Amino acid sequence: MRSPTPARLALALVAALAAAALLGGVAAAAATEEAYVTLLYGDEFVLGVRVLGKSIRDTGTRRDLVVLVSDGVSDYSRKLLQADGWIVSHITLLANPNQVRPKRFWGVYTKLKIFNMTSYRKVVYLDADTVVVKSIEDLFKCGKFCGNLKHSERMNSGVMVVEPSETVFKDMMRQIDTLPSYTGGDQGFLNSYYADFANSHVYEPDKPYTPEPETQRLSTLYNADVGLYMLANKWMVDEKELRVIHYTLGPLKPWDWWTAWLVKPVGVWQDVRQTLEESLPGTGGGRSPHDQLVVKVLFILPVLLLSFGYYQSCFQTNKELLNIRSLCAFARRDRYKYKSEEAFPSYSVMGVSSSAFANSNQRFSNGMHSKLPSYFGALTVLACFMSAGVSFAFAFAIIPKQIMPWTGLLLMFEWTFVSFFLLFGSYLRFVYRWGSLDANHVGHSRFDSSENHMVTGRHHNMSDCDIDATFYWTGMAIIAIVTVLLPTLLGVTALFAKLGLMVAGGVVLASFMTYASEHLAISAFYKGQRDRNVSRSRSICFLF
Ligand SMILES: *[C@@H]1O[C@H](CO)[C@@H](O)[C@H](O)[C@H]1NC(C)=O
Ligand SMILES: *[C@@H]1O[C@H](CO)[C@@H](O)[C@H](O)[C@H]1NC(C)=O
């Protein structure tokens, strides 16, 4: 009798192990036959992938969620997506063969690699700027290649059902340099590759075609374009049946805080985002620990800055405060004293500002015998608008992009106002000094009698210079706030109505800014003249 040799035993063992591995492999393959797939080229879209993943999991699927990441994605983002439940798979970029293409399209041909994911029987591909609002599990029943038509006959590659196949992938790679791409990217290539796509049948989950067609069209429900919504101000399909929303509006991506204020369907995306779990510390609700810190600093910094400035200028001594009171009283006395005078010089003015400028001149010039230059009004308006523009751009630049819409808006107001206050306030300080220098050089002696003398009899009874200045500053702030919030308050969502409202608000704001800036500047100038003998007082406290 032959006893089994050790070699034979080992062989049997290996065979058994191999069989077990094979069975296990089959079982594993069965569990993960189908997958949802998306692509990530950089950290900017990570929040989009997180929200997409959450929206898919919320439909109750048990299928794999695979994100293909390229080198541009940081280790932290990969860990975060893994913690969210994504299978993170690294891929190298596929070079874009087109010489003429948008710059951001350098790696988009990489999307073709989903045709090479042969470990899956079928994959549903979704762009990172999509969100699933209702189960799309029935898409896995779609045939070899399913996509969605846009612009009548163009296939959109934002949502696709693909049956991975080495043959197809190799065939694509062979033709990658020869087939034209109307977009300069993968979408144009696929339109050329599936040249007859526009003639495909519409996919109906309950009515499979036999034999299975090469390509099938998905209904708009599976790839509802926000761009179309914006034009019509409604979905062109049954809203209750909507499955996937695609945020296609170029730079208006749903994760940027301002988009929620412009594009209504972003609300759906933000709602999903709010429910994101804290997969890594500080990432609940789609927050980022880094941004949270920046937001806190940004909220507190202007408050500290202003209170420090105010403390410096006003509360150093009580004497200073008294000084300001007495200044205003002095100003009032001055006015009444000269009120009886018959003739006031009137100054030539230019541009849109003439009326406000002339009025102010008459109003503030009582007793002042020196002349404002003719370009003063235009200079002031220019300074005001440039301050506003620079403040807005600065605020926009320093605020993190992917924070919550309300946080973004509040920070935007805070920083725009503070920057504007500091910038235009500096201009007013400059005008104030100009006024006092002017008074010192010219003194009271000069009175140009060749000026056109005019008595208007319109002398305002200003109660207090502080109150006057406060009115102009707060007026500008309130009009700005109302202009921005008006469409939201009125519930206007239509793009053009919204734009119209904002333009109208902008016109009102610009007019008021013109008016207010001149009053503030002229007031500052004459205050400078009045205060020439008083020790220099701080301007920030009484804002002119
Ligand atoms: C396609 O998939 C195969 C098998 O997974 C792999 O060996 C090959 O490198 C892939 N090709 C490309 C271009 O990624
Ligand atoms: C205007 O000034 C006069 C003189 O001080 C005062 O009696 C009057 O109440 C003021 N009017 C208004 C509306 O403030």
Side-chain angles (χ1 to χ4, degrees), residues 152-166:
S152 300
E153 83 287 5
R154 298 296 197 186
M155 198 272 301
N156 179 274
S157 62
V159 178
M160 296 186 290
V161 185
V162 170
E163 206 172 79
S165 147
E166 210 180 328

Side-chain angles (χ1 to χ4, degrees), residues 113 116 118 169:
K113 286 203 173 180
N116 196 33
T118 44
F169 181 67

Side-chain angles (χ1 to χ4, degrees), residues 371-389:
K371 183 180 158 191
L372 277 172
S374 57
Y375 54 81
F376 187 77
L379 182 71
T380 299
V381 175
L382 185 72
C384 179
F385 279 81
M386 274 183 48
S387 305

